[in-house]
């Protein structure tokens, strides 16, 4: 039996699709900004690589309505997680990694 279906369009194809509905959000953390509006679109899909079972994922495509930042895609292996939570967790994780990188650099 089939374990995967027809390939879905890549998330980036939604950047130019005129019929897609984007949602405006204001995440609690976004690269140090306090109140930044972002537009997101999200769906679930199956991630499949030959030789492994299909894995359900949630992808989130983020674009800046002001055009100051390039669009970004985020992926999560918990398809039940809310898109805003995925973005917030990533932004907080990024701050921690920068702190660790700066701490390692100062020891040299």
């Amino acid at each position: 039996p089939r374990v995967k279906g027809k390939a879905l369009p890549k998330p980036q194809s939604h950047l130019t699709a005129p019929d897609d509905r984007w949602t405006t959000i204001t995440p609690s953390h976004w690269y140090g900004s306090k109140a930044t509006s972002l537009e997101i679109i999200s769906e679930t899909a199956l991630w499949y690589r030959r030789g492994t079972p299909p894995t359900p994922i949630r992808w989130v495509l983020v674009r800046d309505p002001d055009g100051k930042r390039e669009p970004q895609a985020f992926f999560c292996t918990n398809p039940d997680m809310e898109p805003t939570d995925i973005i917030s967790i990533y932004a907080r994780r990024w701050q921690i990694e920068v702190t660790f990188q700066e701490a390692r650099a100062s020891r040299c």
Side-chain angles (χ1 to χ4, degrees):
R2 288 184 70 77
V3 293
K4 63 182 184 105
K6 188 178 90 174
L8 296 174
K10 297 190 182 322
Q12 288 79 357
S13 67
H14 291 278
L15 292 171
T16 56
D19 296 335
D20 286 344
R21 284 193 247 156
W22 291 77
T23 303
T24 301
I25 64 164
T26 304
S28 58
H29 293 85
W30 186 253
Y31 294 107
S33 299
K34 295 276 189 236
T36 301
S37 291
L38 301 173
E39 294 178 334
I40 65 168
I41 192 167
S42 178
E43 291 183 12
T44 57
L46 288 178
W47 186 273
Y48 177 77
R49 298 190 84 181
R50 192 174 354 159
T52 62
T55 303
I57 63 165
R58 174 172 290 280
W59 60 262
V60 182
L61 188 60
V62 178
R63 70 180 179 190
D64 180 2
D66 298 330
K68 295 178 183 175
R69 293 192 181 271
E70 291 292 319
Q72 295 181 29
F74 299 93
F75 300 89
C76 180
T77 55
N78 180 353
D80 298 325
M81 189 173 262
E82 289 295 320
T84 53
D85 293 337
I86 294 170
I87 293 166
S88 294
I89 288 170
Y90 176 81
R92 284 188 222 128
R93 179 180 160 261
W94 183 255
Q95 292 170 349
I96 292 169
E97 289 195 16
V98 169
T99 301
F100 284 143
Q101 182 181 17
E102 289 172 354
R104 283 191 297 267
S106 66
R107 291 188 337 184
C108 294

